Amino acid sequence: MSKLLYITVNPKNDIKLSKGMQLGEAFLEEFKKQKPEVEIEHMHLYDMDIPQIDMDLLYARAKLSFMGKTFDELSEGEQKQITAMHALADRFIAADYYVFVTPIWNFGSPAILKAFLDNLFIVNKTFTNTQEGAKGLLTNRKALHIQTRGGIYSSGPMVDFEFGDRFLTKVLNFLGMEVMPTVFAEGMDHFPKQVPEIMAKAKEQAIEAAKEMAKETVTV
């Protein structure tokens, strides 16, 4: 059975409070209509214990990757952290479709998303090194980013200050995924009276993205 991993990145884990989750729900409702056989798993990052790159994880990765050490030679703390890292990566790899729902905060995504993504960079599991350079191993997968923005970042003076969507897209591309055009609702802090109109347009885009993602069967 195929699986869609729905990843929400906002401390407001309530669809009534989160505009991003409202857009995500519009996407999910349409995707379920198009692909009722696909299992949907929800990861809410703020409810998870995500391994951080602390001293144990930093040394565990180094020892296993280029210092010639085995897992049994790691310290207890290093074993715990590297095991948790691989478990999270394995859970991520098990999906076929991915939807990330995030806000933009201070030009980027919430820091917890970076911590989550750090666990996905594992040589010979999610990418490999070749003579031509690094090559992503998570191919034949589709991903979508749904982002809410208080300001305007798609045009005007703030274009070069948007690093949340740009960073996530680059990471997913690096890992080998096909990343669809981002669905975003922007300007909601600048134009509060226009929020209903902005959200309605973004929901339409989310629905269309769901139809597009569902068009082709993904085989991993």
Side-chain angles (χ1 to χ4, degrees):
M1 178 184 290
S2 297
K3 178 185 289 187
L4 183 147
L5 194 57
Y6 179 63
I7 302 168
T8 52
V9 191
N10 193 312
K12 295 183 289 187
N13 188 13
D14 186 336
I15 191 171
K16 295 179 181 179
L17 301 176
S18 171
K19 293 181 175 61
M21 291 185 72
Q22 291 168 26
L23 298 180
E25 188 65 22
F27 172 94
L28 290 178
E29 288 180 1
E30 184 60 34
F31 189 82
K32 290 175 184 177
K33 293 178 185 177
Q34 301 292 330
K35 290 276 190 179
E37 73 281 6
V38 174
E39 176 188 355
I40 295 176
E41 179 182 356
H42 185 187
M43 275 187 179
H44 185 66
L45 298 194
Y46 281 88
D47 289 340
M48 297 171 59
D49 184 13
I50 297 173
Q52 304 285 323
I53 299 185
D54 57 8
M55 189 69 76
D56 283 330
L57 187 51
L58 189 66
Y59 275 103
R61 293 175 65 185
K63 289 176 180 179
L64 294 176
S65 62
F66 62 83
M67 295 174 66
K69 301 293 185 180
T70 66
F71 180 82
D72 291 337
E73 293 177 287
L74 302 180
S75 70
E76 182 179 348
E78 290 167 349
Q79 288 183 355
K80 180 180 178 181
Q81 283 292 77
I82 204 72
T83 297
M85 179 185 193
H86 278 263
L88 183 57
D90 288 339
R91 186 178 170 190
F92 185 84
I93 293 168
D96 309 275
Y97 306 92
Y98 302 82
V99 176
F100 290 80
V101 179
T102 80
I104 183 171
W105 289 353
N106 304 318
F107 309 146
S109 298
I112 197 169
L113 178 60
K114 175 60 166 58
F116 174 80
L117 296 174
D118 282 340
N119 288 271
L120 305 182
F121 287 81
I122 303 177
V123 178
N124 297 327
K125 175 169 280 192
T126 59
F127 74 97
T128 189
N129 292 313
T130 71
Q131 291 183 344
E132 291 75 33
K135 181 180 180 181
L137 298 177
L138 305 188
T139 56
N140 298 318
R141 292 168 166 86
K142 286 188 174 183
L144 172 70
H145 185 200
I146 296 175
Q147 186 188 54
T148 50
R149 308 168 176 175
I152 301 293
Y153 292 87
S154 62
S155 62
M158 299 302 291
V159 168
D160 291 336
F161 290 88
E162 198 296 304
F163 298 106
D165 179 57
R166 193 178 308 176
F167 178 74
L168 177 60
T169 298
K170 290 295 184 182
V171 167
L172 300 178
N173 282 152
F174 174 83
L175 296 177
M177 296 185 186
E178 175 189 342
V179 183
M180 299 173 59
T182 300
V183 171
F184 59 86
E186 67 176 3
M188 292 182 286
D189 290 346
H190 288 194
F191 308 104
K193 293 182 179 180
Q194 297 179 28
V195 168
E197 179 183 346
I198 293 170
M199 286 293 294
K201 180 179 178 181
K203 284 181 180 179
E204 291 178 2
Q205 294 173 349
I207 290 170
E208 289 304 311
K211 293 177 181 178
E212 184 65 27
M213 182 176 279
K215 277 184 179 180
E216 299 178 13
T217 300
V218 173
T219 56
V220 177

